[in-house]
PDB file of all heavy atoms in Angstrom:
ATOM      1  N   ASP A   1      -9.867 -22.788  -8.257  1.00 51.00           N
ATOM      2  CA  ASP A   1      -8.731 -22.798  -9.213  1.00 51.00           C
ATOM      3  C   ASP A   1      -8.593 -21.582 -10.050  1.00 51.00           C
ATOM      4  O   ASP A   1      -7.667 -21.455 -10.861  1.00 51.00           O
ATOM      5  CB  ASP A   1      -8.879 -24.039 -10.128  1.00 51.00           C
ATOM      6  CG  ASP A   1      -8.812 -25.277  -9.363  1.00 51.00           C
ATOM      7  OD1 ASP A   1      -8.022 -25.419  -8.352  1.00 51.00           O
ATOM      8  OD2 ASP A   1      -9.522 -26.274  -9.733  1.00 51.00           O
ATOM      9  N   MET A   2      -9.535 -20.626  -9.864  1.00 47.00           N
ATOM     10  CA  MET A   2      -9.519 -19.409 -10.702  1.00 47.00           C
ATOM     11  C   MET A   2      -8.467 -18.426 -10.182  1.00 47.00           C
ATOM     12  O   MET A   2      -8.422 -18.111  -9.002  1.00 47.00           O
ATOM     13  CB  MET A   2     -10.885 -18.691 -10.696  1.00 47.00           C
ATOM     14  CG  MET A   2     -12.015 -19.403 -11.472  1.00 47.00           C
ATOM     15  SD  MET A   2     -13.589 -18.546 -11.404  1.00 47.00           S
ATOM     16  CE  MET A   2     -13.096 -16.961 -12.083  1.00 47.00           C
ATOM     17  N   LYS A   3      -7.560 -18.057 -11.035  1.00 43.00           N
ATOM     18  CA  LYS A   3      -6.457 -17.123 -10.664  1.00 43.00           C
ATOM     19  C   LYS A   3      -6.260 -16.107 -11.827  1.00 43.00           C
ATOM     20  O   LYS A   3      -6.571 -16.394 -12.939  1.00 43.00           O
ATOM     21  CB  LYS A   3      -5.137 -17.848 -10.422  1.00 43.00           C
ATOM     22  CG  LYS A   3      -5.217 -18.727  -9.184  1.00 43.00           C
ATOM     23  CD  LYS A   3      -3.841 -19.275  -8.969  1.00 43.00           C
ATOM     24  CE  LYS A   3      -3.766 -20.105  -7.655  1.00 43.00           C
ATOM     25  NZ  LYS A   3      -2.383 -20.697  -7.406  1.00 43.00           N
ATOM     26  N   ASP A   4      -5.866 -14.942 -11.450  1.00 44.00           N
ATOM     27  CA  ASP A   4      -5.439 -14.000 -12.487  1.00 44.00           C
ATOM     28  C   ASP A   4      -3.983 -13.589 -12.210  1.00 44.00           C
ATOM     29  O   ASP A   4      -3.364 -14.054 -11.272  1.00 44.00           O
ATOM     30  CB  ASP A   4      -6.365 -12.797 -12.540  1.00 44.00           C
ATOM     31  CG  ASP A   4      -6.446 -12.052 -11.189  1.00 44.00           C
ATOM     32  OD1 ASP A   4      -5.464 -12.060 -10.456  1.00 44.00           O
ATOM     33  OD2 ASP A   4      -7.494 -11.507 -10.908  1.00 44.00           O
ATOM     34  N   GLU A   5      -3.462 -12.745 -13.104  1.00 42.00           N
ATOM     35  CA  GLU A   5      -2.082 -12.396 -13.054  1.00 42.00           C
ATOM     36  C   GLU A   5      -1.721 -11.744 -11.666  1.00 42.00           C
ATOM     37  O   GLU A   5      -0.684 -12.060 -11.125  1.00 42.00           O
ATOM     38  CB  GLU A   5      -1.729 -11.482 -14.195  1.00 42.00           C
ATOM     39  CG  GLU A   5      -0.240 -11.101 -14.212  1.00 42.00           C
ATOM     40  CD  GLU A   5       0.016 -10.072 -15.276  1.00 42.00           C
ATOM     41  OE1 GLU A   5      -0.895  -9.449 -15.755  1.00 42.00           O
ATOM     42  OE2 GLU A   5       1.176  -9.885 -15.665  1.00 42.00           O
ATOM     43  N   GLU A   6      -2.574 -10.885 -11.216  1.00 43.00           N
ATOM     44  CA  GLU A   6      -2.293 -10.181 -10.008  1.00 43.00           C
ATOM     45  C   GLU A   6      -2.245 -11.112  -8.787  1.00 43.00           C
ATOM     46  O   GLU A   6      -1.390 -10.982  -7.916  1.00 43.00           O
ATOM     47  CB  GLU A   6      -3.326  -9.084  -9.755  1.00 43.00           C
ATOM     48  CG  GLU A   6      -3.196  -7.922 -10.738  1.00 43.00           C
ATOM     49  CD  GLU A   6      -3.988  -6.703 -10.360  1.00 43.00           C
ATOM     50  OE1 GLU A   6      -4.827  -6.821  -9.493  1.00 43.00           O
ATOM     51  OE2 GLU A   6      -3.848  -5.677 -10.963  1.00 43.00           O
ATOM     52  N   ILE A   7      -3.214 -12.068  -8.752  1.00 53.00           N
ATOM     53  CA  ILE A   7      -3.195 -13.002  -7.639  1.00 53.00           C
ATOM     54  C   ILE A   7      -1.903 -13.827  -7.588  1.00 53.00           C
ATOM     55  O   ILE A   7      -1.411 -14.237  -6.581  1.00 53.00           O
ATOM     56  CB  ILE A   7      -4.443 -13.918  -7.716  1.00 53.00           C
ATOM     57  CG1 ILE A   7      -5.667 -13.035  -7.368  1.00 53.00           C
ATOM     58  CG2 ILE A   7      -4.357 -15.066  -6.749  1.00 53.00           C
ATOM     59  CD1 ILE A   7      -6.988 -13.779  -7.451  1.00 53.00           C
ATOM     60  N   ASP A   8      -1.331 -14.121  -8.747  1.00 74.00           N
ATOM     61  CA  ASP A   8      -0.140 -14.948  -8.795  1.00 74.00           C
ATOM     62  C   ASP A   8       1.077 -14.155  -8.401  1.00 74.00           C
ATOM     63  O   ASP A   8       2.142 -14.791  -8.146  1.00 74.00           O
ATOM     64  CB  ASP A   8       0.055 -15.494 -10.250  1.00 74.00           C
ATOM     65  CG  ASP A   8      -0.874 -16.619 -10.561  1.00 74.00           C
ATOM     66  OD1 ASP A   8      -1.310 -17.331  -9.598  1.00 74.00           O
ATOM     67  OD2 ASP A   8      -1.154 -16.923 -11.701  1.00 74.00           O
ATOM     68  N   LEU A   9       1.035 -12.860  -8.317  1.00 84.00           N
ATOM     69  CA  LEU A   9       2.149 -12.067  -7.933  1.00 84.00           C
ATOM     70  C   LEU A   9       2.370 -12.133  -6.434  1.00 84.00           C
ATOM     71  O   LEU A   9       1.400 -12.218  -5.701  1.00 84.00           O
ATOM     72  CB  LEU A   9       2.013 -10.600  -8.407  1.00 84.00           C
ATOM     73  CG  LEU A   9       2.001 -10.315  -9.865  1.00 84.00           C
ATOM     74  CD1 LEU A   9       1.705  -8.836 -10.038  1.00 84.00           C
ATOM     75  CD2 LEU A   9       3.387 -10.610 -10.441  1.00 84.00           C
ATOM     76  N   PRO A  10       3.652 -12.072  -5.946  1.00 90.00           N
ATOM     77  CA  PRO A  10       3.865 -12.011  -4.496  1.00 90.00           C
ATOM     78  C   PRO A  10       3.191 -10.784  -3.951  1.00 90.00           C
ATOM     79  O   PRO A  10       3.257  -9.666  -4.519  1.00 90.00           O
ATOM     80  CB  PRO A  10       5.439 -11.924  -4.374  1.00 90.00           C
ATOM     81  CG  PRO A  10       5.909 -12.543  -5.678  1.00 90.00           C
ATOM     82  CD  PRO A  10       4.910 -12.188  -6.715  1.00 90.00           C
ATOM     83  N   ARG A  11       2.596 -10.917  -2.758  1.00 91.00           N
ATOM     84  CA  ARG A  11       1.904  -9.784  -2.099  1.00 91.00           C
ATOM     85  C   ARG A  11       2.696  -9.374  -0.947  1.00 91.00           C
ATOM     86  O   ARG A  11       2.929 -10.160   0.056  1.00 91.00           O
ATOM     87  CB  ARG A  11       0.509 -10.207  -1.736  1.00 91.00           C
ATOM     88  CG  ARG A  11      -0.423 -10.466  -2.925  1.00 91.00           C
ATOM     89  CD  ARG A  11      -1.775 -10.944  -2.507  1.00 91.00           C
ATOM     90  NE  ARG A  11      -2.588 -11.206  -3.663  1.00 91.00           N
ATOM     91  CZ  ARG A  11      -3.508 -10.406  -4.113  1.00 91.00           C
ATOM     92  NH1 ARG A  11      -3.722  -9.229  -3.527  1.00 91.00           N
ATOM     93  NH2 ARG A  11      -4.225 -10.696  -5.197  1.00 91.00           N
ATOM     94  N   ILE A  12       3.118  -8.065  -0.898  1.00 92.00           N
ATOM     95  CA  ILE A  12       3.942  -7.539   0.152  1.00 92.00           C
ATOM     96  C   ILE A  12       3.065  -6.500   0.880  1.00 92.00           C
ATOM     97  O   ILE A  12       2.764  -5.452   0.338  1.00 92.00           O
ATOM     98  CB  ILE A  12       5.223  -6.845  -0.321  1.00 92.00           C
ATOM     99  CG1 ILE A  12       5.995  -7.763  -1.339  1.00 92.00           C
ATOM    100  CG2 ILE A  12       6.100  -6.402   0.832  1.00 92.00           C
ATOM    101  CD1 ILE A  12       6.417  -9.016  -0.787  1.00 92.00           C
ATOM    102  N   ALA A  13       2.661  -6.796   2.117  1.00 91.00           N
ATOM    103  CA  ALA A  13       1.685  -5.929   2.823  1.00 91.00           C
ATOM    104  C   ALA A  13       2.481  -5.075   3.822  1.00 91.00           C
ATOM    105  O   ALA A  13       3.328  -5.610   4.598  1.00 91.00           O
ATOM    106  CB  ALA A  13       0.661  -6.753   3.569  1.00 91.00           C
ATOM    107  N   PHE A  14       2.314  -3.801   3.777  1.00 91.00           N
ATOM    108  CA  PHE A  14       2.931  -2.820   4.739  1.00 91.00           C
ATOM    109  C   PHE A  14       1.890  -2.600   5.831  1.00 91.00           C
ATOM    110  O   PHE A  14       0.784  -2.046   5.626  1.00 91.00           O
ATOM    111  CB  PHE A  14       3.307  -1.573   4.025  1.00 91.00           C
ATOM    112  CG  PHE A  14       4.503  -1.691   3.101  1.00 91.00           C
ATOM    113  CD1 PHE A  14       4.328  -2.307   1.859  1.00 91.00           C
ATOM    114  CD2 PHE A  14       5.734  -1.244   3.473  1.00 91.00           C
ATOM    115  CE1 PHE A  14       5.398  -2.474   1.005  1.00 91.00           C
ATOM    116  CE2 PHE A  14       6.822  -1.346   2.635  1.00 91.00           C
ATOM    117  CZ  PHE A  14       6.625  -2.029   1.360  1.00 91.00           C
ATOM    118  N   VAL A  15       2.230  -3.036   7.047  1.00 90.00           N
ATOM    119  CA  VAL A  15       1.345  -2.942   8.174  1.00 90.00           C
ATOM    120  C   VAL A  15       1.952  -2.264   9.332  1.00 90.00           C
ATOM    121  O   VAL A  15       3.184  -2.201   9.426  1.00 90.00           O
ATOM    122  CB  VAL A  15       0.843  -4.410   8.652  1.00 90.00           C
ATOM    123  CG1 VAL A  15       0.107  -5.059   7.468  1.00 90.00           C
ATOM    124  CG2 VAL A  15       2.036  -5.291   9.065  1.00 90.00           C
ATOM    125  N   GLY A  16       1.216  -1.769  10.220  1.00 88.00           N
ATOM    126  CA  GLY A  16       1.670  -1.059  11.418  1.00 88.00           C
ATOM    127  C   GLY A  16       0.630  -0.114  11.994  1.00 88.00           C
ATOM    128  O   GLY A  16      -0.453  -0.005  11.496  1.00 88.00           O
ATOM    129  N   ARG A  17       0.985   0.532  13.065  1.00 85.00           N
ATOM    130  CA  ARG A  17       0.167   1.507  13.681  1.00 85.00           C
ATOM    131  C   ARG A  17      -0.197   2.658  12.721  1.00 85.00           C
ATOM    132  O   ARG A  17       0.630   2.881  11.708  1.00 85.00           O
ATOM    133  CB  ARG A  17       0.728   2.028  14.960  1.00 85.00           C
ATOM    134  CG  ARG A  17       0.760   1.015  16.125  1.00 85.00           C
ATOM    135  CD  ARG A  17       1.359   1.552  17.413  1.00 85.00           C
ATOM    136  NE  ARG A  17       2.775   1.755  17.307  1.00 85.00           N
ATOM    137  CZ  ARG A  17       3.443   2.865  17.363  1.00 85.00           C
ATOM    138  NH1 ARG A  17       2.777   4.035  17.429  1.00 85.00           N
ATOM    139  NH2 ARG A  17       4.793   2.922  17.301  1.00 85.00           N
ATOM    140  N   PRO A  18      -1.153   3.467  12.960  1.00 83.00           N
ATOM    141  CA  PRO A  18      -1.402   4.583  12.094  1.00 83.00           C
ATOM    142  C   PRO A  18      -0.266   5.621  12.073  1.00 83.00           C
ATOM    143  O   PRO A  18       0.451   5.767  13.100  1.00 83.00           O
ATOM    144  CB  PRO A  18      -2.648   5.240  12.710  1.00 83.00           C
ATOM    145  CG  PRO A  18      -3.331   4.155  13.434  1.00 83.00           C
ATOM    146  CD  PRO A  18      -2.208   3.290  13.994  1.00 83.00           C
ATOM    147  N   ASN A  19       0.000   6.199  10.907  1.00 84.00           N
ATOM    148  CA  ASN A  19       0.979   7.264  10.796  1.00 84.00           C
ATOM    149  C   ASN A  19       2.440   6.817  11.038  1.00 84.00           C
ATOM    150  O   ASN A  19       3.240   7.668  11.474  1.00 84.00           O
ATOM    151  CB  ASN A  19       0.615   8.385  11.720  1.00 84.00           C
ATOM    152  CG  ASN A  19       1.062   9.737  11.183  1.00 84.00           C
ATOM    153  OD1 ASN A  19       1.087  10.007   9.970  1.00 84.00           O
ATOM    154  ND2 ASN A  19       1.425  10.664  12.090  1.00 84.00           N
ATOM    155  N   VAL A  20       2.797   5.614  10.728  1.00 88.00           N
ATOM    156  CA  VAL A  20       4.170   5.162  10.828  1.00 88.00           C
ATOM    157  C   VAL A  20       4.864   5.304   9.471  1.00 88.00           C
ATOM    158  O   VAL A  20       6.108   5.151   9.444  1.00 88.00           O
ATOM    159  CB  VAL A  20       4.318   3.720  11.315  1.00 88.00           C
ATOM    160  CG1 VAL A  20       3.814   3.590  12.714  1.00 88.00           C
ATOM    161  CG2 VAL A  20       3.605   2.750  10.363  1.00 88.00           C
ATOM    162  N   GLY A  21       4.177   5.651   8.392  1.00 88.00           N
ATOM    163  CA  GLY A  21       4.828   5.860   7.151  1.00 88.00           C
ATOM    164  C   GLY A  21       4.584   4.813   6.100  1.00 88.00           C
ATOM    165  O   GLY A  21       5.299   4.681   5.059  1.00 88.00           O
ATOM    166  N   LYS A  22       3.495   4.060   6.245  1.00 86.00           N
ATOM    167  CA  LYS A  22       3.185   2.963   5.328  1.00 86.00           C
ATOM    168  C   LYS A  22       2.936   3.513   3.880  1.00 86.00           C
ATOM    169  O   LYS A  22       3.485   3.081   2.864  1.00 86.00           O
ATOM    170  CB  LYS A  22       2.030   2.112   5.783  1.00 86.00           C
ATOM    171  CG  LYS A  22       2.208   1.506   7.177  1.00 86.00           C
ATOM    172  CD  LYS A  22       1.079   0.626   7.632  1.00 86.00           C
ATOM    173  CE  LYS A  22      -0.148   1.389   7.872  1.00 86.00           C
ATOM    174  NZ  LYS A  22      -0.090   2.332   8.983  1.00 86.00           N
ATOM    175  N   SER A  23       2.004   4.469   3.803  1.00 84.00           N
ATOM    176  CA  SER A  23       1.667   5.064   2.517  1.00 84.00           C
ATOM    177  C   SER A  23       2.900   5.792   1.928  1.00 84.00           C
ATOM    178  O   SER A  23       3.197   5.672   0.743  1.00 84.00           O
ATOM    179  CB  SER A  23       0.509   5.992   2.624  1.00 84.00           C
ATOM    180  OG  SER A  23      -0.679   5.362   3.035  1.00 84.00           O
ATOM    181  N   SER A  24       3.703   6.411   2.781  1.00 87.00           N
ATOM    182  CA  SER A  24       4.788   7.249   2.326  1.00 87.00           C
ATOM    183  C   SER A  24       5.899   6.369   1.712  1.00 87.00           C
ATOM    184  O   SER A  24       6.446   6.701   0.647  1.00 87.00           O
ATOM    185  CB  SER A  24       5.380   8.026   3.428  1.00 87.00           C
ATOM    186  OG  SER A  24       4.487   8.997   3.936  1.00 87.00           O
ATOM    187  N   ILE A  25       6.162   5.245   2.292  1.00 89.00           N
ATOM    188  CA  ILE A  25       7.238   4.375   1.753  1.00 89.00           C
ATOM    189  C   ILE A  25       6.780   3.799   0.468  1.00 89.00           C
ATOM    190  O   ILE A  25       7.561   3.602  -0.533  1.00 89.00           O
ATOM    191  CB  ILE A  25       7.607   3.263   2.788  1.00 89.00           C
ATOM    192  CG1 ILE A  25       8.916   2.549   2.328  1.00 89.00           C
ATOM    193  CG2 ILE A  25       6.571   2.205   2.957  1.00 89.00           C
ATOM    194  CD1 ILE A  25       9.520   1.643   3.383  1.00 89.00           C
ATOM    195  N   ILE A  26       5.457   3.389   0.288  1.00 86.00           N
ATOM    196  CA  ILE A  26       4.965   2.897  -1.042  1.00 86.00           C
ATOM    197  C   ILE A  26       5.055   3.943  -2.049  1.00 86.00           C
ATOM    198  O   ILE A  26       5.449   3.674  -3.204  1.00 86.00           O
ATOM    199  CB  ILE A  26       3.592   2.290  -0.806  1.00 86.00           C
ATOM    200  CG1 ILE A  26       3.613   1.079   0.081  1.00 86.00           C
ATOM    201  CG2 ILE A  26       2.947   2.002  -2.202  1.00 86.00           C
ATOM    202  CD1 ILE A  26       2.301   0.459   0.337  1.00 86.00           C
ATOM    203  N   ASN A  27       4.607   5.141  -1.709  1.00 84.00           N
ATOM    204  CA  ASN A  27       4.642   6.289  -2.651  1.00 84.00           C
ATOM    205  C   ASN A  27       6.079   6.564  -3.107  1.00 84.00           C
ATOM    206  O   ASN A  27       6.361   6.829  -4.263  1.00 84.00           O
ATOM    207  CB  ASN A  27       4.069   7.518  -2.085  1.00 84.00           C
ATOM    208  CG  ASN A  27       2.565   7.444  -1.887  1.00 84.00           C
ATOM    209  OD1 ASN A  27       1.878   6.602  -2.557  1.00 84.00           O
ATOM    210  ND2 ASN A  27       1.982   8.186  -1.001  1.00 84.00           N
ATOM    211  N   THR A  28       7.066   6.486  -2.195  1.00 88.00           N
ATOM    212  CA  THR A  28       8.410   6.687  -2.579  1.00 88.00           C
ATOM    213  C   THR A  28       8.957   5.568  -3.462  1.00 88.00           C
ATOM    214  O   THR A  28       9.659   5.844  -4.449  1.00 88.00           O
ATOM    215  CB  THR A  28       9.318   6.689  -1.248  1.00 88.00           C
ATOM    216  OG1 THR A  28       8.864   7.755  -0.424  1.00 88.00           O
ATOM    217  CG2 THR A  28      10.778   6.958  -1.600  1.00 88.00           C
ATOM    218  N   LEU A  29       8.595   4.318  -3.183  1.00 86.00           N
ATOM    219  CA  LEU A  29       8.974   3.253  -4.053  1.00 86.00           C
ATOM    220  C   LEU A  29       8.388   3.358  -5.440  1.00 86.00           C
ATOM    221  O   LEU A  29       9.066   3.092  -6.447  1.00 86.00           O
ATOM    222  CB  LEU A  29       8.573   1.900  -3.436  1.00 86.00           C
ATOM    223  CG  LEU A  29       9.292   1.404  -2.177  1.00 86.00           C
ATOM    224  CD1 LEU A  29       8.615   0.271  -1.473  1.00 86.00           C
ATOM    225  CD2 LEU A  29      10.733   1.002  -2.630  1.00 86.00           C
ATOM    226  N   LEU A  30       7.152   3.854  -5.542  1.00 83.00           N
ATOM    227  CA  LEU A  30       6.483   3.969  -6.807  1.00 83.00           C
ATOM    228  C   LEU A  30       6.888   5.239  -7.539  1.00 83.00           C
ATOM    229  O   LEU A  30       6.673   5.407  -8.733  1.00 83.00           O
ATOM    230  CB  LEU A  30       4.994   3.975  -6.596  1.00 83.00           C
ATOM    231  CG  LEU A  30       4.365   2.653  -6.090  1.00 83.00           C
ATOM    232  CD1 LEU A  30       2.907   2.887  -5.750  1.00 83.00           C
ATOM    233  CD2 LEU A  30       4.532   1.541  -7.073  1.00 83.00           C
ATOM    234  N   GLY A  31       7.510   6.178  -6.812  1.00 80.00           N
ATOM    235  CA  GLY A  31       7.866   7.449  -7.432  1.00 80.00           C
ATOM    236  C   GLY A  31       6.693   8.249  -7.806  1.00 80.00           C
ATOM    237  O   GLY A  31       6.768   9.122  -8.699  1.00 80.00           O
ATOM    238  N   ASP A  32       5.599   8.054  -7.159  1.00 55.00           N
ATOM    239  CA  ASP A  32       4.321   8.710  -7.545  1.00 55.00           C
ATOM    240  C   ASP A  32       3.402   8.721  -6.340  1.00 55.00           C
ATOM    241  O   ASP A  32       3.299   7.762  -5.643  1.00 55.00           O
ATOM    242  CB  ASP A  32       3.687   7.991  -8.711  1.00 55.00           C
ATOM    243  CG  ASP A  32       2.444   8.686  -9.196  1.00 55.00           C
ATOM    244  OD1 ASP A  32       2.217   9.795  -8.902  1.00 55.00           O
ATOM    245  OD2 ASP A  32       1.674   7.980  -9.881  1.00 55.00           O
ATOM    246  N   VAL A  33       2.800   9.840  -6.041  1.00 47.00           N
ATOM    247  CA  VAL A  33       1.909   9.902  -4.913  1.00 47.00           C
ATOM    248  C   VAL A  33       0.540   9.232  -5.286  1.00 47.00           C
ATOM    249  O   VAL A  33      -0.389   9.908  -5.708  1.00 47.00           O
ATOM    250  CB  VAL A  33       1.711  11.337  -4.415  1.00 47.00           C
ATOM    251  CG1 VAL A  33       0.772  11.391  -3.244  1.00 47.00           C
ATOM    252  CG2 VAL A  33       2.978  12.039  -4.095  1.00 47.00           C
ATOM    253  N   ARG A  34       0.618   7.893  -5.193  1.00 49.00           N
ATOM    254  CA  ARG A  34      -0.659   7.158  -5.477  1.00 49.00           C
ATOM    255  C   ARG A  34      -1.665   7.168  -4.343  1.00 49.00           C
ATOM    256  O   ARG A  34      -2.848   7.085  -4.547  1.00 49.00           O
ATOM    257  CB  ARG A  34      -0.260   5.720  -5.793  1.00 49.00           C
ATOM    258  CG  ARG A  34       0.778   5.515  -6.930  1.00 49.00           C
ATOM    259  CD  ARG A  34       0.157   5.410  -8.172  1.00 49.00           C
ATOM    260  NE  ARG A  34       1.141   5.223  -9.238  1.00 49.00           N
ATOM    261  CZ  ARG A  34       1.236   4.125  -9.994  1.00 49.00           C
ATOM    262  NH1 ARG A  34       0.394   3.115  -9.746  1.00 49.00           N
ATOM    263  NH2 ARG A  34       2.089   4.004 -10.942  1.00 49.00           N
ATOM    264  N   ASN A  35      -1.129   7.167  -3.109  1.00 47.00           N
ATOM    265  CA  ASN A  35      -1.945   7.031  -1.876  1.00 47.00           C
ATOM    266  C   ASN A  35      -1.985   8.338  -1.118  1.00 47.00           C
ATOM    267  O   ASN A  35      -0.983   9.054  -1.112  1.00 47.00           O
ATOM    268  CB  ASN A  35      -1.462   5.867  -0.986  1.00 47.00           C
ATOM    269  CG  ASN A  35      -1.358   4.581  -1.736  1.00 47.00           C
ATOM    270  OD1 ASN A  35      -2.052   4.368  -2.720  1.00 47.00           O
ATOM    271  ND2 ASN A  35      -0.449   3.739  -1.312  1.00 47.00           N
ATOM    272  N   ILE A  36      -3.090   8.648  -0.535  1.00 42.00           N
ATOM    273  CA  ILE A  36      -3.225   9.906   0.191  1.00 42.00           C
ATOM    274  C   ILE A  36      -2.324   9.838   1.419  1.00 42.00           C
ATOM    275  O   ILE A  36      -2.410   8.888   2.226  1.00 42.00           O
ATOM    276  CB  ILE A  36      -4.650  10.121   0.642  1.00 42.00           C
ATOM    277  CG1 ILE A  36      -5.598  10.235  -0.586  1.00 42.00           C
ATOM    278  CG2 ILE A  36      -4.797  11.404   1.535  1.00 42.00           C
ATOM    279  CD1 ILE A  36      -7.070  10.244  -0.237  1.00 42.00           C
ATOM    280  N   VAL A  37      -1.457  10.878   1.602  1.00 45.00           N
ATOM    281  CA  VAL A  37      -0.549  10.875   2.743  1.00 45.00           C
ATOM    282  C   VAL A  37      -0.737  12.184   3.465  1.00 45.00           C
ATOM    283  O   VAL A  37      -0.581  13.273   2.912  1.00 45.00           O
ATOM    284  CB  VAL A  37       0.928  10.739   2.296  1.00 45.00           C
ATOM    285  CG1 VAL A  37       1.852  10.780   3.590  1.00 45.00           C
ATOM    286  CG2 VAL A  37       1.113   9.476   1.537  1.00 45.00           C
ATOM    287  N   THR A  38      -1.124  12.089   4.725  1.00 47.00           N
ATOM    288  CA  THR A  38      -1.274  13.291   5.590  1.00 47.00           C
ATOM    289  C   THR A  38      -0.587  12.907   6.897  1.00 47.00           C
ATOM    290  O   THR A  38      -0.252  11.803   7.164  1.00 47.00           O
ATOM    291  CB  THR A  38      -2.674  13.742   5.799  1.00 47.00           C
ATOM    292  OG1 THR A  38      -3.340  12.773   6.657  1.00 47.00           O
ATOM    293  CG2 THR A  38      -3.447  13.859   4.546  1.00 47.00           C
ATOM    294  N   ASP A  39      -0.406  13.919   7.781  1.00 49.00           N
ATOM    295  CA  ASP A  39       0.085  13.640   9.095  1.00 49.00           C
ATOM    296  C   ASP A  39      -1.070  13.406  10.096  1.00 49.00           C
ATOM    297  O   ASP A  39      -0.926  13.423  11.279  1.00 49.00           O
ATOM    298  CB  ASP A  39       1.014  14.723   9.622  1.00 49.00           C
ATOM    299  CG  ASP A  39       0.446  16.108   9.526  1.00 49.00           C
ATOM    300  OD1 ASP A  39      -0.622  16.137   9.197  1.00 49.00           O
ATOM    301  OD2 ASP A  39       1.183  17.069   9.741  1.00 49.00           O
ATOM    302  N   ILE A  40      -2.225  13.152   9.566  1.00 45.00           N
ATOM    303  CA  ILE A  40      -3.411  12.730  10.353  1.00 45.00           C
ATOM    304  C   ILE A  40      -3.488  11.247  10.458  1.00 45.00           C
ATOM    305  O   ILE A  40      -3.534  10.587   9.394  1.00 45.00           O
ATOM    306  CB  ILE A  40      -4.667  13.371   9.895  1.00 45.00           C
ATOM    307  CG1 ILE A  40      -4.640  14.863   9.742  1.00 45.00           C
ATOM    308  CG2 ILE A  40      -5.905  12.905  10.708  1.00 45.00           C
ATOM    309  CD1 ILE A  40      -5.849  15.478   9.012  1.00 45.00           C
ATOM    310  N   ALA A  41      -3.423  10.660  11.614  1.00 45.00           N
ATOM    311  CA  ALA A  41      -3.448   9.224  11.758  1.00 45.00           C
ATOM    312  C   ALA A  41      -4.740   8.676  11.193  1.00 45.00           C
ATOM    313  O   ALA A  41      -5.798   9.204  11.387  1.00 45.00           O
ATOM    314  CB  ALA A  41      -3.303   8.828  13.206  1.00 45.00           C
ATOM    315  N   GLY A  42      -4.607   7.596  10.477  1.00 45.00           N
ATOM    316  CA  GLY A  42      -5.830   6.880  10.011  1.00 45.00           C
ATOM    317  C   GLY A  42      -6.328   7.351   8.669  1.00 45.00           C
ATOM    318  O   GLY A  42      -7.505   7.194   8.330  1.00 45.00           O
ATOM    319  N   THR A  43      -5.506   8.034   7.837  1.00 42.00           N
ATOM    320  CA  THR A  43      -5.957   8.495   6.530  1.00 42.00           C
ATOM    321  C   THR A  43      -6.330   7.367   5.596  1.00 42.00           C
ATOM    322  O   THR A  43      -7.315   7.471   4.920  1.00 42.00           O
ATOM    323  CB  THR A  43      -4.830   9.381   5.879  1.00 42.00           C
ATOM    324  OG1 THR A  43      -4.462  10.440   6.782  1.00 42.00           O
ATOM    325  CG2 THR A  43      -5.350   9.988   4.573  1.00 42.00           C
ATOM    326  N   THR A  44      -5.560   6.309   5.586  1.00 42.00           N
ATOM    327  CA  THR A  44      -5.850   5.178   4.721  1.00 42.00           C
ATOM    328  C   THR A  44      -6.912   4.295   5.344  1.00 42.00           C
ATOM    329  O   THR A  44      -6.693   3.741   6.416  1.00 42.00           O
ATOM    330  CB  THR A  44      -4.654   4.365   4.503  1.00 42.00           C
ATOM    331  OG1 THR A  44      -3.597   5.176   3.909  1.00 42.00           O
ATOM    332  CG2 THR A  44      -4.840   3.149   3.552  1.00 42.00           C
ATOM    333  N   ARG A  45      -8.071   4.284   4.743  1.00 44.00           N
ATOM    334  CA  ARG A  45      -9.209   3.499   5.260  1.00 44.00           C
ATOM    335  C   ARG A  45      -9.208   2.105   4.684  1.00 44.00           C
ATOM    336  O   ARG A  45      -9.698   1.185   5.315  1.00 44.00           O
ATOM    337  CB  ARG A  45     -10.498   4.241   4.946  1.00 44.00           C
ATOM    338  CG  ARG A  45     -10.633   5.604   5.572  1.00 44.00           C
ATOM    339  CD  ARG A  45     -10.778   5.479   7.083  1.00 44.00           C
ATOM    340  NE  ARG A  45     -11.260   6.805   7.612  1.00 44.00           N
ATOM    341  CZ  ARG A  45     -11.499   7.052   8.884  1.00 44.00           C
ATOM    342  NH1 ARG A  45     -11.252   6.095   9.766  1.00 44.00           N
ATOM    343  NH2 ARG A  45     -11.893   8.222   9.290  1.00 44.00           N
TER     344      ARG A  45
END
């Protein structure tokens, strides 16, 4: 029954093959380069 504010929020997961633009689209939405984005597949571990 333990929950916090974040757990109660809807979770939208961006999934797909490496280097399809998952980090880039989130960074664009946030307006800030929060996640490492390179053109090397598999940067996000």
Side-chain angles (χ1 to χ4, degrees):
D1 297 324
M2 289 179 60
K3 292 185 176 181
D4 58 29
E5 182 185 18
E6 291 190 350
I7 291 177
D8 285 336
L9 292 175
R11 293 175 181 263
I12 313 298
F14 289 75
V15 298
R17 290 182 285 115
N19 209 33
V20 295
K22 301 183 296 293
S23 298
S24 296
I25 194 171
I26 292 177
N27 289 338
T28 301
L29 288 167
L30 296 172
D32 183 16
V33 181
R34 304 273 181 114
N35 306 333
I36 299 170
V37 180
T38 71
D39 52 7
I40 302 171
T43 304
T44 302
R45 300 290 194 179

